[in-house]
Amino acid sequence: MRILKFGGTSVGTADAVRQVERIVRDAGPGALAVVSAFSGVTNALTRTIELMRRGDTAGALAELDRVEERHRAMIADLGLPAATACFTADTIDRIRGLIPALTALGDITPRAADTILATGETLSSRIIADHFTARGLDAAHLDAREVLVTDASFGAAQPDTAGIEAAVRGKLLPLLARYRAVVTGGYIGATPQGVTTTLGRGGSDYSAALLAAAAGADECQIWTDVDGIMTCDPRIIPAARTVPRLTYDEAAELAFFGAKVLHPLTIFPAVRKGIPVVIRNTFAPDRPGTRVVAQNGNDRRLKAIAFQRGITVLHIRSNRMLGAYGFLAAVFDVFRGHRTPVDLVTTSEVSISVTIDDTAHLDAITADLARLGEVSVEQGRAIVSLIGDGMRETAGIGARFFNTLRAINVGMVSVGASEVNISIVIAEKDLESAVGLLHHEFFDGGSA
Ligand code: ADP
Ligand code: ASP
Ligand code: MG
């Protein structure tokens, strides 16, 4: 069996949905389609929640009206039956009913937010399943909340692997045996008690990988709007090329360091079961895309450049660090206490520098760190990472890397213990030129 995940742009218009139907049909019997919300819908629902937080009931209702209209137009374009329109109206009405009371309470909990955010995938999956059926493709709709069991960390729910496996055996596999295709929503799940959760933005890729692992699928296909994983984000490097094969480690590293093409956790369930992950272009299905596999022979070539904007660097200087044990632990304890993940870390005899991208607790973190040493904060930074297996064995890459960037002021430098990446911190204003120079040096000449 195969899992085919379609992202927001891949289901963003009636024509795109028709294209998805062709791809699922061609995949043969026993295909599970995991779909995202229609493009822009999760953003609109996020805005709805933001307006509610600001006490703007009318604004939130107007935003939800636009979401409803978007789905109504899709149903009309696809010529779907009244039952689909009723399901959509009922689903939206339920959310509409919650808005005034929640807004008046002035406390939109992460739990309430997830219930609202889940609307996008609840609707898109049902509409697409109904379209398949209307086109004579024997398909069933499965509410993802019946199989994607998670804990109650709303907004970034953690999967319950055993729960998912049991639900996949009990509910998904019997449907796959009876129908040619099953359609479910990505990104959303539920606690064992049935409370709706979400896996975090971009989480549909993760849903697909979790379901693929639980079902023992032959392959997990991620269908998106570009030709696979490329040497860099084609939005800033139009000359980027598709990377035909990557290892799990390389793909995970790329995703963690900002390549939005895959949700960072997608690779782990696939690794656990050794399932190949394939990234393909919905709008050019004849192209091979990228295969992510456990081993890539002796392919030591560099694979890609990833980057992240909006990074904050904190430097902590203290003489107490000299020869002291426990200092680093105390520093990391501060970040743990404020539930803020740290990305890059560098240390010297008397200082430690760390990067974070979540600045929600920056003031409190700085105040706590000030008790350990002298703290300085740099905002508006970016991380650029060069990724490829066995980097340390390839002589001269570091020298070429820094020589290419000689005109750019490089802050922190970190070489991953995984030997798969070199990352640096630079000013955000230098990002495009740094990435352009590196891409030209390592990928344009065909030398990589
Ligand atoms: P989907 O809605 O299908 O999940 P996303 O927008 O989440 O799609 O991810 C696809 C986008 O990721 C591409 O349009 C591209 O701009 C961006 N991207 C960033 N880095 C890369 C990369 N290395 N290779 C391919 N795409 C990338
Ligand atoms: N619809 C969700 C988002 O936009 C999940 C996804 O598309 O992967 O974040
Ligand atoms: Mg995505």
Side-chain angles (χ1 to χ4, degrees):
M1 72 161 295
R2 289 200 161 77
I3 309 276
L4 297 86
K5 178 262 172 176
F6 296 93
T9 331
S10 300
V11 294
T13 63
D15 277 342
V17 170
R18 290 188 193 99
Q19 174 71 357
V20 164
E21 179 223 324
R22 283 189 285 273
I23 293 170
V24 172
R25 211 181 263 280
D26 288 348
L32 171 66
V34 177
V35 298
S36 287
F38 300 145
S39 57
V41 167
T42 311
N43 285 343
L45 294 167
T46 305
R47 279 197 298 277
T48 306
I49 293 162
E50 206 34 60
L51 289 162
M52 291 167 69
R53 291 209 163 105
R54 284 195 235 135
D56 184 354
T57 307
L61 288 170
E63 192 70 57
L64 191 69
D65 286 346
R66 285 191 285 276
V67 169
E68 179 166 30
E69 187 42 43
R70 173 84 189 279
H71 290 84
R72 250 198 256 142
M74 181 71 97
I75 291 167
D77 277 358
L78 293 170
L80 296 178
T84 317
C86 284
F87 175 84
T88 303
D90 287 350
T91 305
I92 295 272
D93 276 346
R94 221 166 301 133
I95 300 300
R96 190 177 278 122
L98 296 174
I99 289 179
L102 286 175
T103 309
L105 272 174
D107 177 24
I108 320 302
T109 59
R111 171 175 169 156
D114 272 3
T115 294
I116 295 170
L117 289 167
T119 314
E121 272 74 5
T122 303
L123 292 178
S124 67
S125 58
R126 171 66 194 262
I127 291 170
I128 291 166
D130 288 0
H131 169 70
F132 286 3
T133 309
R135 297 270 306 149
L137 174 64
D138 190 27
H141 176 248
L142 173 64
D143 190 317
R145 288 170 286 204
E146 292 188 33
V147 283
L148 217 297
V149 188
T150 71
D151 70 1
S153 324
F154 298 102
Q158 306 286 318
D160 166 355
T161 310
I164 295 172
E165 273 176 15
V168 160
R169 266 197 309 277
K171 292 180 182 150
L172 173 61
L173 296 183
L175 282 177
L176 280 169
R178 278 217 335 264
Y179 292 86
R180 206 178 142 84
V182 175
V183 184
T184 196
Y187 175 59
I188 66 179
T191 65
Q193 292 73 37
V195 182
T196 300
T197 57
T198 69
L199 302 178
R201 295 304 306 269
S204 295
D205 302 329
Y206 192 26
S207 297
L210 288 165
L211 294 172
D218 303 313
E219 197 170 278
C220 177
Q221 302 179 354
I222 307 288
W223 291 84
T224 184
D225 57 0
V226 289
D227 287 340
I229 294 182
M230 311 186 73
T231 48
C232 192
D233 186 342
R235 271 182 229 181
I236 82 156
I237 302 288
R241 291 183 274 115
T242 300
V243 183
R245 284 169 82 87
L246 284 161
T247 64
Y248 288 133
D249 283 349
E250 290 171 329
E253 207 87 359
L254 250 168
F256 268 108
F257 283 96
K260 191 189 164 210
V261 63
L262 274 188
H263 181 278
L265 297 174
T266 309
I267 293 301
F268 296 106
V271 171
R272 198 156 41 78
K273 294 287 174 77
I275 299 168
V277 177
V278 182
I279 297 96
R280 315 258 314 254
N281 189 342
T282 303
F283 306 102
D286 298 335
R287 299 193 192 142
T290 299
R291 263 187 105 69
V292 183
V293 292
Q295 291 292 332
N296 201 6
N298 254 340
D299 185 0
R300 294 296 196 210
R301 276 173 299 183
L302 297 175
K303 297 306 186 310
I305 298 166
F307 57 84
Q308 266 174 292
R309 298 185 163 92
I311 297 296
T312 296
V313 182
L314 291 112
H315 304 280
I316 305 107
R317 285 179 66 85
S318 169
N319 292 333
R320 277 197 283 152
M321 194 170 159
L322 263 177
Y325 53 85
F327 184 80
L328 290 181
V331 167
F332 288 117
D333 232 30
V334 170
F335 292 94
R336 187 170 59 92
H338 295 288
R339 302 174 64 92
T340 300
V342 162
D343 297 317
L344 295 186
V345 181
T346 59
T347 61
S348 76
E349 289 288 309
V350 291
S351 72
I352 167 165
S353 304
V354 304
T355 69
I356 59 174
D357 73 349
D358 174 2
T359 50
H361 306 291
L362 182 60
D363 291 343
I365 290 172
T366 318
D368 285 355
L369 289 175
R371 276 187 244 127
L372 299 170
E374 190 189 310
V375 184
S376 59
V377 178
E378 289 172 358
Q379 292 189 287
R381 306 277 117 180
I383 299 177
V384 178
S385 310
L386 180 64
I387 285 146
D389 233 343
M391 188 166 287
R392 267 187 226 164
E393 294 162 33
T394 318
I397 287 183
R400 259 171 89 196
F401 185 88
F402 291 107
N403 192 37
T404 305
L405 297 181
R406 63 192 174 275
I408 287 170
N409 192 1
V410 174
M412 295 166 63
V413 177
S414 161
V415 179
S418 52
E419 301 192 26
V420 197
N421 103 50
I422 307 182
S423 294
I424 52 163
V425 176
I426 58 175
E428 220 167 326
K429 67 171 176 43
D430 293 330
L431 179 67
E432 303 217 348
S433 71
V435 170
L437 287 165
L438 288 172
H439 195 271
H440 183 72
E441 170 67 19
F442 288 104
F443 299 101
D444 284 352
S447 58

